[in-house]
Amino acid sequence: MISRILGGAVFCIGGAGLLGLMFISVGDAIMRSLGAPFIGAHETSEAFLAVCVALAVPISIYRGKAVSIDGFVGLMPAGMARALTVGGELLAAGFCVVLAYSMVQAGFDARDFAEQSALLRIPYFYMYQILSAGFGLSALAFVARAWISYKAETVL
């Protein structure tokens, strides 16, 4: 139940970010053809892109669509394949936690140095925090996949 609600919320937020990115890109192209460029379109699209990436990656991981090499796993005995799959997913979750922490630190550094976009003056702190949340969700998705792989009868 909670995963359906959380998944629906992530899907809606990600969809809104993708729609925003699409409207900004199309609007900028139309306005440029009319001779009135959309001021700040590039920076706004970067913000929407950060949201899309931060949500699309955990969704794809949770759905089992993360990039993996399954050739060796298919040749192994079931127990060894399960252990390697679960271990790999937990290792990936650990890397995502390290990346999330690094993004938090980079965000605080960007805030301390007042780093911001040139035109709209969007603080980079927020972009780093969005990406940090995305890596945190990715870590949770890898842990969930590890649990699913551990409980599965066969290697997924």
Side-chain angles (χ1 to χ4, degrees):
M1 176 71 172
I2 292 175
S3 66
R4 293 187 91 172
I5 293 170
L6 183 60
V10 168
F11 181 79
C12 289
I13 294 168
L18 191 57
L19 281 174
L21 181 61
M22 181 185 68
F23 284 130
I24 294 292
S25 300
V26 171
D28 184 40
I30 290 171
M31 291 177 72
R32 283 183 188 274
S33 69
L34 298 174
F38 184 171
I39 306 299
H42 179 73
E43 295 170 352
T44 307
S45 65
E46 284 178 348
F48 281 116
L49 186 60
V51 170
C52 289
V53 168
L55 295 175
V57 171
I59 289 171
S60 65
I61 291 168
Y62 182 73
R63 305 253 346 215
K65 305 298 182 192
V67 175
S68 64
I69 301 172
D70 297 328
F72 293 118
V73 175
L75 300 174
M76 295 179 177
M80 184 182 290
R82 181 180 298 138
L84 184 64
T85 301
V86 170
E89 289 166 343
L90 291 175
L91 184 63
F95 284 135
C96 286
V97 167
V98 170
L99 286 170
Y101 177 76
S102 297
M103 289 292 112
V104 168
Q105 292 301 314
F108 287 131
D109 289 344
R111 185 189 64 189
D112 292 345
F113 291 111
E115 294 178 9
Q116 57 193 1
S117 64
L119 192 59
L120 297 179
R121 306 210 183 280
I122 300 171
Y124 287 146
F125 170 78
Y126 298 116
M127 301 293 183
Y128 283 116
Q129 299 312 309
I130 289 169
L131 292 174
S132 175
F135 282 122
L137 287 173
S138 295
L140 292 175
F142 272 122
V143 169
R145 289 301 307 170
W147 180 254
I148 291 168
S149 296
Y150 176 74
K151 288 295 197 180
E153 300 265 333
T154 60
V155 178
L156 301 176

